[in-house]
Amino acid sequence: MSAAKAKAKARKKPEAPMTQLAYTVPEFCRAFRISERHYFNLRDEGKGPKEMRVGRRVLVSVESAQAWVRARELEGT
């Protein structure tokens, strides 16, 4: 790498870390410490989080995950 390119790279502002806006199903399961099988059982019972499809991927938004947690908390009381 040339000295000019190295200086330009050094002056570049560091990017802010991205905030996660959605989970894949495996990420959701890891985050909430449930198995994927349990996730799909909950979904089949109508007790899973709302999902969105982006192309072929299934994602759970952070808002949907939070709503799911609140619903599970209310269900337990």
Side-chain angles (χ1 to χ4, degrees), residues 6 20 34:
Q20 184 168 4
I34 62 173

Side-chain angles (χ1 to χ4, degrees), residues 17-34:
M18 290 187 62
T19 302
Q20 184 168 4
L21 301 175
Y23 298 100
T24 62
V25 172
E27 288 172 338
F28 178 88
C29 294
R30 279 193 304 275
F32 293 95
R33 297 182 178 200
I34 62 173

Side-chain angles (χ1 to χ4, degrees), residues 7-74:
K7 282 183 182 179
K9 190 173 184 176
R11 284 192 306 258
K12 201 174 188 183
K13 290 183 181 178
E15 292 184 21
M18 290 187 62
T19 302
Q20 184 168 4
L21 301 175
Y23 298 100
T24 62
V25 172
E27 288 172 338
F28 178 88
C29 294
R30 279 193 304 275
F32 293 95
R33 297 182 178 200
I34 62 173
S35 69
E36 289 185 43
R37 181 72 259 152
H38 186 60
Y39 174 89
F40 290 113
N41 287 339
L42 287 170
R43 186 181 73 178
D44 293 345
E45 294 170 11
K47 294 182 179 181
K50 288 186 180 180
E51 299 174 341
M52 61 180 165
R53 303 214 184 285
V54 179
R56 297 172 70 182
R57 297 177 68 188
V58 176
L59 300 174
V60 177
S61 69
V62 170
E63 293 85 4
S64 180
Q66 291 169 343
W68 177 80
V69 168
R70 282 191 301 277
R72 299 293 68 77
E73 289 172 343
L74 291 174

